[in-house]
Amino acid sequence: MQYSKELQKELELLSNNLIADAQKLEFNHDSARDKIDDLKKVIHYHDWKYYVDASAVIKDYDYDLLFKQLKQLENKFPDLLIPDSPTQRVARTLTSDFPNVAHSVPMLSLENSYDENDLNDFDKRVKELTGNSEIVYCVEPKFDGSSIAIIYENDILVRAATRGDGVSGDEITTNAKRMRTVPLSTKFSAYGIQKVELRGEVVINKNTFSKINEKREEEGLQILQNPRNSAAGALRVKDSDEIVKRGLEAFIYHMAYAVDANDNSLLGKQLNAHFENIEILGKLGFKIPGTEKKLCKSVPEILAFISEWENKRDEYPYEIDGIVIKVNDIGLQQQCGSTSHHPRWAIAFKFKAREVETELLSVNYQVGRTGAITPVAKVVPVYIGGVTVSSISLHNEDYIAEKDIQISDTVVVQRAGDVIPYIDRVVLDKRKSGAVKFIFRNDCPVCHKEIYKPEGEAIYRCINVDCPAQAEERLIHFVSKDAMDIDGIGRETVIELIKKGLLKSIPQLYDLKYEKILLLPGWQEKSVAKLKNGITASKTQPLWRLLNGLGIRHVGTQTAKDLVKNISNIKDLFSFDEEKLTSIEGIGPTVALSVTKFFHNPANQEMLKTLENLEVNTKNVIQAAASNKLNNKTFLFTGSLNRFNNRDEAKEMVENNGGKLISSVSKNLNYLVVGENAGSKLDKAKTISSIEIIDEEAFLKMIED
């Protein structure tokens, strides 16, 4: 909604009249309809004024008074309640699931650039692809938040989703409705748009973030690390109140899909310029890059804009980590096209890493689920790129030696991509006379058992399978989505149960004392029942999930699936040697050695026997292929698939019909199945004459025939 000065004055006058008359509740149906329309108008206006324009013109008390009256009228006349009412935005909702939904068009990543040469190459490539020597670019800040896709139909918000894998994401409509910067309805129809999918970035204002952390600290809650992670985490919380608590806002920066009532695309036609499209969205009430964006006709102009923003990014209210450069003309964008990874008409210029000096106080150690021991530097806390850093991974002994890092050194800390902190260098001129040279410890920091460094590797490992630190990480992995996928338990629950002495090992997970868990703070009968049901259900998971869940080094999902094809019971692996394992397709010497070490270990054998006694599935239930229509032919999928809900569905169809999947283009590949926006795999396949390139329809026809 565009609010002219005249309209703003009119709505503010209407607000005053409604406030003065707020106690009157004697309405018939017709007068209630008029009153509700007026209340909706002014509440939408005040939401826009406060959350988008950032200049409130009404007291909180008066706003609450108007809101309360609207709610009372809608309760009294429920047939007058419609989806775009402000009352439908703020009702607290507990979401039990986030179904996966497909985007109208893929949400591709952006190609990154770091210097002038990259931009010159990009500019040259765009001009070659379009045959146009004069390109106008829209340049705008690259918000450091969490991507979101929002669909409106017939002027009403109908769906919102996370980016996910770019092809599909988790539906978060309920949570999106809690963001005041996302209109529940707006007049797309005024521009002939019947359906539109918008792209945006969900962020948290820096000042809001600071206030949130101050409050959390007062309440004894864990401090949030940075605005970006906090925004991403809140998007998928089941309690939508968290959206409001964290002050999430959405900047809309792209119109990805827009059609009229006859399903004709409007992009590249009536809507033919990115800059103007974003301005339209601003008029419709969305928070957009307004004065922050600019049209540029040359690389020098773009570089000047980048320099300006790099110098003032710390003053900007939101975290930004670069500048996005887009071809402004939508028709030219369409000529440029896209790869399977990124659009060829846009590029992101990333700002230089932020850096700051601090003092290294000490070195602690972390132990991972595979026994990997990682040295961690403890430094004098420093604020860098929106995050307070006090711990930094030193990776391994060689890394420390290469950088000549010593205790009490002054070090320069950077954040890679403004995300991961690392020590870039030591300031040797400031080295103290009492600096202590680092010596890697010779035992596990947790269980104090022997450690070793495998030949050819840089990382020391603890060899004690009963090490408590490994047990914790191993359990966290075991219950995870990629492993046993146990509903009702995650990282925090595992850590809590371990701390309370109720959980120590994987077998103990299947022998939990639920009556004791019920006595813990925050646990209720419903949550305990969910935990119990999730654990019980996991006993029947397919064998590859158990194998993956054991946390064996170098064994992931695909390797686990390759292994179980060759056994009838997990105990068969007790007798497999390296030679037998390497004879299995997809298993190399490194994996074979790791698997042999694990399954020849008596303690691990005993653990698996215990799991079997606890009725956890240890057998491979081999399902016969539905048909042999694909007869051991090899397949690989590339690009965005439209005939399947997801890539896994297509892969299962191959396996269920006797085919095999491979991971890369080679002479071993029989069929490359190509979806939309296929990239390098397609290019490579064209150079190998034995590969047959087919589309989704041809693939399905192979099965149906």
Side-chain angles (χ1 to χ4, degrees):
M1 178 68 185
Q2 177 69 14
Y3 294 99
S4 64
K5 289 184 178 179
E6 292 75 14
L7 182 55
Q8 290 187 43
K9 288 180 181 178
E10 180 182 324
L11 288 170
E12 286 165 19
L13 179 61
L14 178 59
S15 294
N16 292 335
N17 293 337
L18 289 170
I19 291 166
D21 201 28
Q23 302 304 323
K24 180 184 176 183
L25 288 175
E26 295 300 321
F27 294 94
N28 59 35
H29 193 274
D30 290 337
S31 61
R33 178 187 288 110
D34 293 338
K35 189 77 167 182
I36 285 173
D37 285 344
D38 286 344
L39 286 165
K40 282 165 51 182
K41 284 179 188 175
V42 298
I43 292 173
H44 279 312
Y45 166 68
H46 289 303
D47 282 346
W48 175 86
K49 195 71 178 170
Y50 184 85
Y51 292 101
V52 178
D53 196 46
S55 55
V57 292
I58 189 174
K59 295 177 182 178
D60 289 347
Y61 175 82
D62 291 336
Y63 179 93
D64 292 341
L65 199 64
L66 296 174
F67 192 90
K68 182 179 179 181
Q69 186 178 27
L70 175 61
K71 198 167 185 177
Q72 288 173 330
L73 286 170
E74 288 176 339
N75 288 338
K76 188 173 182 179
F77 301 97
D79 62 306
L80 298 178
L81 173 61
I82 60 175
D84 72 338
S85 171
T87 62
Q88 299 309 289
R89 182 192 297 281
V90 298
R92 177 179 177 174
T93 306
L94 293 177
T95 304
S96 60
D97 193 18
F98 296 96
N100 195 262
V101 292
H103 301 305
S104 301
V105 293
M107 292 184 74
L108 302 178
S109 301
L110 285 173
E111 183 182 9
N112 290 328
S113 65
Y114 297 91
D115 58 36
E116 183 176 347
N117 291 332
D118 292 335
L119 290 184
N120 283 323
D121 290 343
F122 168 72
D123 181 52
K124 181 180 177 182
R125 187 165 63 247
V126 166
K127 289 174 179 176
E128 288 174 351
L129 288 168
T130 61
N132 193 321
S133 61
E134 295 183 0
I135 301 291
V136 176
Y137 296 101
C138 179
V139 291
E140 57 202 53
K142 182 177 180 296
F143 295 97
D144 192 14
S146 186
S147 298
I148 189 173
I150 311 173
I151 293 178
Y152 287 80
E153 284 190 56
N154 299 316
D155 295 342
I156 302 292
L157 189 160
V158 296
R159 197 187 80 189
T162 63
R163 182 183 183 278
D165 61 4
V167 177
S168 60
D170 292 331
E171 184 185 347
I172 53 165
T173 309
T174 299
N175 287 352
K177 287 181 176 181
R178 300 300 302 274
M179 285 183 268
R180 304 285 186 141
T181 53
V182 177
L184 297 176
S185 68
T186 188
K187 291 293 183 181
F188 281 106
S189 54
Y191 297 90
I193 301 171
Q194 189 270 335
K195 181 179 179 180
V196 62
E197 180 166 331
L198 309 177
R199 300 288 160 76
E201 199 80 358
V202 176
V203 296
I204 301 177
N205 183 290
K206 291 177 185 176
N207 290 332
T208 301
F209 182 74
S210 296
K211 291 175 182 177
I212 291 170
N213 266 343
E214 286 174 10
K215 186 174 181 181
R216 290 178 71 90
E217 193 169 20
E218 289 173 3
E219 295 173 352
L221 299 174
Q222 184 178 356
I223 299 300
L224 302 175
Q225 286 299 305
N226 56 62
R228 186 188 66 171
N229 291 352
S230 301
L235 274 182
R236 295 188 75 259
V237 293
K238 295 182 178 181
D239 186 350
S240 60
D241 265 2
E242 198 65 22
I243 301 294
V244 179
K245 289 177 183 176
R246 297 198 188 183
L248 265 59
E249 304 176 47
F251 270 92
I252 305 301
Y253 58 75
H254 184 58
M255 195 181 289
Y257 175 89
V259 296
D260 62 18
N262 297 315
D263 209 30
N264 298 312
S265 176
L266 300 175
L267 294 174
K269 298 173 184 175
Q270 291 95 317
L271 304 170
N272 195 41
H274 171 75
F275 188 99
E276 285 76 4
N277 289 352
I278 300 306
E279 289 294 295
I280 287 173
L281 294 176
K283 292 174 182 177
L284 290 171
F286 292 93
K287 197 176 187 75
I288 61 167
T291 56
E292 299 95 333
K293 66 183 185 300
K294 181 182 180 182
L295 293 175
C296 295
K297 296 181 179 179
S298 67
V299 172
E301 270 191 76
I302 294 171
L303 289 169
F305 185 86
I306 290 170
S307 177
E308 174 190 347
W309 273 94
E310 190 158 20
N311 290 331
K312 67 181 183 182
R313 65 167 162 164
D314 288 330
E315 304 165 14
Y316 192 59
Y318 304 91
E319 291 287 350
I320 57 174
D321 59 358
I323 296 295
V324 179
I325 301 98
K326 303 174 183 175
V327 173
N328 190 53
D329 188 292
I330 306 296
L332 295 181
Q333 287 184 10
Q334 294 168 347
Q335 286 185 43
C336 289
S338 304
T339 70
S340 60
H341 175 264
H342 62 266
R344 293 189 177 97
W345 46 266
I347 194 169
F349 187 98
K350 301 300 287 287
F351 291 146
K352 295 182 183 69
R354 306 180 201 236
E355 62 178 41
V356 65
E357 289 185 5
T358 187
E359 182 183 354
L360 194 155
L361 301 173
S362 62
V363 175
N364 294 347
Y365 297 85
Q366 290 179 344
V367 184
R369 66 179 170 86
T370 61
I373 299 172
T374 304
V376 178
K378 295 296 179 180
V379 300
V380 173
V382 286
Y383 187 81
I384 177 170
V387 177
T388 299
V389 174
S390 59
S391 299
I392 305 168
S393 174
L394 294 175
H395 304 293
N396 55 62
E397 187 179 30
D398 296 341
Y399 177 90
I400 296 169
E402 179 186 339
K403 293 186 178 290
D404 188 22
I405 297 171
Q406 299 185 17
I407 309 299
S408 82
D409 269 344
T410 297
V411 294
V412 176
V413 178
Q414 292 188 355
R415 285 182 68 210
D418 279 350
V419 178
I420 303 170
Y422 69 99
I423 291 178
D424 180 66
R425 61 192 182 277
V426 174
V427 184
L428 294 174
D429 292 345
K430 296 184 179 181
R431 173 165 285 169
K432 299 175 182 178
S433 58
V436 179
K437 195 171 182 65
F438 174 81
I439 299 175
F440 208 98
R441 62 184 302 143
N442 56 16
D443 66 348
C444 173
V446 177
C447 69
H448 303 292
K449 298 292 185 181
E450 179 186 355
I451 64 174
Y452 79 109
K453 182 162 66 170
E455 186 177 350
E457 296 188 15
I459 298 174
Y460 282 94
R461 296 182 183 276
C462 171
I463 61 175
N464 176 23
V465 293
D466 295 320
C467 175
Q470 291 184 61
E472 179 176 288
E473 290 299 325
R474 195 180 298 119
L475 275 161
I476 290 167
H477 171 70
F478 186 84
V479 304
S480 69
K481 188 175 181 64
D482 290 335
M484 292 296 275
D485 192 20
I486 302 179
D487 195 23
I489 184 170
R491 168 177 284 273
E492 297 305 321
T493 302
V494 168
I495 293 172
E496 179 186 11
L497 295 179
I498 289 174
K499 285 182 177 178
K500 299 298 183 182
L502 298 175
L503 182 61
K504 292 182 180 178
S505 65
I506 289 173
Q508 198 173 2
L509 188 67
Y510 293 95
D511 194 27
L512 284 174
K513 308 305 178 188
Y514 295 104
E515 66 278 6
K516 292 185 178 180
I517 296 175
L518 190 56
L519 299 176
L520 298 177
W523 285 87
Q524 298 177 351
E525 289 187 7
K526 188 175 180 180
S527 54
V528 172
K530 183 177 181 181
L531 172 64
K532 184 177 181 179
N533 292 338
I535 291 173
T536 301
S538 74
K539 291 182 178 182
T540 59
Q541 288 283 31
L543 184 57
W544 71 263
R545 284 192 171 275
L546 173 61
L547 186 53
N548 185 27
L550 295 174
I552 304 168
R553 195 167 172 228
H554 302 305
V555 175
T557 300
Q558 190 56 52
T559 301
K561 288 181 177 180
D562 291 339
L563 283 168
V564 299
K565 289 176 184 177
N566 296 271
I567 59 176
S568 59
N569 189 301
I570 201 167
K571 291 187 293 186
D572 294 346
L573 292 170
F574 294 177
S575 61
F576 277 37
D577 57 19
E578 292 177 54
E579 183 179 355
K580 188 167 185 177
L581 285 165
T582 52
S583 68
I584 298 173
E585 186 178 353
I587 307 298
T590 302
V591 176
L593 176 61
S594 181
V595 171
T596 303
K597 278 189 173 183
F598 184 90
F599 285 100
H600 286 196
N601 185 309
N604 291 336
Q605 292 181 3
E606 193 60 36
M607 173 187 68
L608 290 165
K609 291 174 183 176
T610 303
L611 286 175
E612 187 176 45
N613 292 333
L614 288 166
E615 300 181 341
V616 176
N617 175 45
T618 60
K619 297 178 181 179
N620 183 24
V621 181
I622 301 173
Q623 294 182 340
S627 77
N628 288 317
K629 291 178 179 178
L630 303 184
N631 192 29
N632 289 322
K633 296 294 185 182
T634 57
F635 290 80
L636 177 63
F637 294 86
T638 186
S640 302
L641 304 180
N642 295 318
R643 295 296 304 274
F644 305 94
N645 292 326
N646 52 55
R647 186 69 59 90
D648 287 340
E649 181 185 350
K651 290 179 178 179
E652 285 178 13
M653 197 171 286
V654 170
E655 294 177 333
N656 290 341
N657 286 277
K660 295 182 179 179
L661 295 159
I662 62 176
S663 59
S664 61
V665 176
S666 71
K667 291 181 180 179
N668 296 323
L669 178 63
N670 298 129
Y671 294 94
L672 180 70
V673 184
V674 178
E676 293 182 0
N677 300 313
S680 58
K681 288 187 177 70
L682 175 59
D683 296 336
K684 186 175 180 180
K686 288 178 179 177
T687 67
I688 303 175
S689 59
S690 61
I691 298 175
E692 190 168 346
I693 299 170
I694 61 175
D695 60 16
E696 294 174 77
E697 297 297 334
F699 168 71
L700 290 170
K701 197 168 186 297
M702 292 173 71
I703 297 170
E704 294 165 359
D705 287 346

